[in-house]
Amino acid sequence: MKLHWSPRSPFVRKVVILLKETGLEPRVDYVRSVAAIATPNPAIMADNPLSQIPALVLDSGEPLYDSPVICEYLDTLHTGPRLFPQQGPARWTALRRQALGDGMLAILLIWRQERMKTSAQQLPAWLDSFATKIDAALDRLEAEAPALAASGFDIGHITIGCTLSYLDYRFADLDWRARHPRLAAWHLEFCARPSALATVPDDAQA
C-alpha cells in the first residue's frame, strides 16, 4: 500500500501511530507529499481529488481518504486488539472522541492560517470564534480526562493525543496545560508511548 505522507500533518500522524500500534507499518510505503491550501498538488490529486493528506492507495489501486476512513480500514487488517471498538458504548465513545479531535484539528488549521496573516488582513471575529471553540473543547476534555485515562487505548485516544500535540507544536503560546492539569497529565502518558515518540512532528524533517 502507498500512503501520501507528511511529517507535520496531525491527520497523517494519526494513521502512522495506528500503523505502528498494530504492526502494519511494514506493509505501507510512505510517499512524501506536500499539501497546501492554496496550491493543489497534482500528485496527490491523482489519488485524492481534494489534494489532501492522508490518502492511502490500496494494493488494488483503490484510494481511501481521509484519516477516519483510512484508520478504520487499516484496523481490519491485523489480528491484535482493535483500535476501533466493534460495538456497544465503547464504540460510540471512541468515535465521538475521534470526531472531537478531528474537529478541533480542522479549526486549528484554519486558525493558524488566519494568525499567519498581517493584522490588517485578520478577521477578529474569526480569531475570537476559533479561540472560544478550542477553549470549550479543552474544558470538555479536562472534565473527561479521568475517563480517558481509565479506558482502553483506541482511536479516540490517538486522535485526542495528536490534537493536543498539535497545540503544543503550533500554538505553544496558548499554554493550554496551565488550565487543564488532568488532561495534561494524560497527554504526558500518551506522548511516552513508543508510537507517539516515533512520530513527533518536526519542521526539520524532509
Side-chain angles (χ1 to χ4, degrees):
M1 294 179 286
K2 178 181 76 172
L3 179 70
H4 286 283
W5 168 90
S6 166
R8 293 180 287 275
S9 165
F11 292 109
V12 171
R13 191 184 186 201
K14 283 178 55 183
V15 176
V16 177
I17 286 178
L18 186 142
L19 288 170
K20 291 180 180 295
E21 291 280 345
T22 59
L24 291 170
E25 193 171 28
R27 297 179 57 177
V28 176
D29 293 325
Y30 295 149
V31 177
R32 181 67 170 91
S33 302
V34 178
I37 292 177
T39 311
N41 184 334
I44 300 175
M45 293 178 72
D47 297 314
N48 180 353
L50 300 177
S51 191
Q52 295 176 342
I53 56 174
L56 180 71
V57 181
L58 308 185
D59 292 334
S60 65
E62 179 183 0
L64 292 179
Y65 39 82
D66 51 2
S67 65
V69 175
I70 293 171
C71 286
E72 188 155 13
Y73 170 77
L74 291 171
D75 200 40
T76 68
L77 302 184
H78 65 97
T79 58
R82 288 284 185 260
L83 292 171
F84 282 78
Q86 296 299 290
Q87 59 186 357
R91 175 170 176 80
W92 302 117
T93 297
L95 293 180
R96 173 179 58 78
R97 288 171 176 164
Q98 177 181 223
L100 179 59
D102 283 344
M104 290 175 69
L105 284 173
I107 290 172
L108 290 170
L109 291 173
I110 301 172
W111 191 5
R112 180 168 180 260
Q113 292 293 320
E114 192 67 16
R115 281 168 39 128
M116 291 171 67
K117 296 177 181 178
T118 66
S119 58
Q121 294 173 318
Q122 291 175 347
L123 296 174
W126 283 27
L127 296 174
D128 291 344
S129 176
F130 298 150
T132 297
K133 292 174 182 179
I134 294 300
D135 284 346
L138 288 170
D139 289 346
R140 180 67 58 89
L141 287 171
E142 173 69 8
E144 194 172 343
L148 197 65
S151 55
F153 191 76
D154 60 32
I155 190 61
H157 297 77
I158 292 174
T159 309
I160 297 300
C162 289
T163 300
L164 298 176
S165 293
Y166 188 76
L167 273 169
D168 289 338
Y169 180 45
R170 296 299 196 194
F171 292 82
D173 60 297
L174 298 184
D175 192 20
W176 66 269
R177 297 172 180 276
R179 294 188 296 107
H180 305 92
R182 294 182 297 183
L183 185 60
W186 173 82
H187 187 240
L188 285 176
E189 295 182 3
F190 169 83
C191 291
R193 296 182 75 91
S195 61
L197 288 170
T199 55
V200 174
D202 183 358
D203 282 331
Q205 287 181 270

